[in-house]
Amino acid sequence: MKTRITACALLWLFLLVPALGLAGDVPARMDMAGLSRFVSGHVGQVVVVNFFATWCPPCREEIPHLIRIAQTCGGKAAVVGVSVDEDAAAVPPFVAKMGIPYAVRMASPELAASFGVRSIPHNVVYGPDGVMRANQPGYVDGASLKAFIDDLLERK
């Protein structure tokens, strides 16, 4: 009887949680190989890799600028958010709340270490040729980032 009640409770949760919008797919983990594939898949575009965390106030301030860049730069720039959160389950509701339209992944420890990510936000920018052009910790305002992207696109 106890097993049957447990099974019914689990089934109820399985059906109820998605219906309430409380579940979301946890983002896949991105390592260096995954980032290389992402960058090589966007040759001809500027790629902005944004390391962030859901609990980070400057990250929450910077993300709307990244959203605008992703929406206004169309085929000229690609953005990927890379979360350094320890709790991957916190990321999907955050992505939904912020309205992030670009790809979001979880950072593998080696990915964050490869770029020296010790504070967030932290942005890495690749030019249209796939070569890294910036690796910078700290908040970046939208106008400065847009100007940098435009400059990289003009050098093409």
Side-chain angles (χ1 to χ4, degrees), residues 33-114:
L35 179 60
S36 293
R37 283 190 300 275
F38 187 87
V39 172
S40 65
H42 291 88
V43 171
Q45 297 177 302
V46 172
V47 174
V48 179
V49 182
N50 173 250
F51 289 91
F52 75 96
T54 59
W55 47 263
C56 166
C59 299
R60 288 193 301 264
E61 188 178 332
E62 186 177 65
I63 287 172
H65 301 300
L66 296 166
I67 291 170
R68 271 191 294 285
I69 284 169
Q71 292 172 334
T72 61
C73 290
K76 297 177 188 173
V79 178
V80 61
V82 183
S83 173
V84 297
D85 280 273
E86 289 182 18
D87 179 12
V91 178
F94 177 79
V95 169
K97 180 180 177 184
M98 296 294 292
I100 297 174
Y102 50 81
V104 174
R105 303 288 182 262
M106 296 300 299
S108 71
E110 59 106 1
L111 181 66
S114 295

